Amino acid sequence: MVNLLDLIIFLKDGTQHEIPIVKLKECGTIENNFFIENKKEGRIEIPLDNVKGFKIYRKWVTEAAYENDRPVLYAAVGILSKHLT
């Protein structure tokens, strides 16, 4: 399976977490931790205070390729953007 989009979260210590945007299950915050989960890799959790930035890396995409993932992706981008402003 080829991943078309990845969410890459950059941390203040110089590391990064990358999760393919495919079959996203959920995202949100618990206390001061951001989490996002997809069916294949499972859940990643990151303390919001450690987030330096994020980007969506686009290899290539067709409109229908991530249609089912949009609600979770938009929520994740909203949470991260709100925290970083």
Side-chain angles (χ1 to χ4, degrees), residues 18-81:
E18 186 172 331
I19 189 163
I21 300 171
V22 61
K23 296 186 181 177
L24 292 175
K25 293 175 75 176
E26 64 180 331
C27 74
T29 58
I30 299 174
E31 296 179 8
N32 196 36
N33 291 321
F34 169 77
F35 70 88
I36 188 165
E37 181 176 358
N38 73 12
K39 190 172 181 179
K40 185 176 180 183
E41 279 78 18
R43 177 184 282 208
I44 63 168
E45 291 189 27
I46 302 165
L48 284 168
D49 293 339
N50 289 337
V51 175
K52 181 178 179 182
F54 70 95
K55 74 175 182 177
I56 297 173
Y57 178 71
R58 180 179 177 160
K59 296 173 184 174
W60 72 86
V61 68
T62 61
E63 194 65 23
Y66 70 104
E67 186 172 327
N68 294 332
D69 297 310
R70 284 183 189 182
V72 176
L73 175 60
Y74 291 167
V77 167
I79 291 168
L80 291 169
S81 295

Side-chain angles (χ1 to χ4, degrees), residues 3 12-13 42 58 61 64-65 76:
N3 299 318
K12 291 178 181 175
D13 67 2
R58 180 179 177 160
V61 68

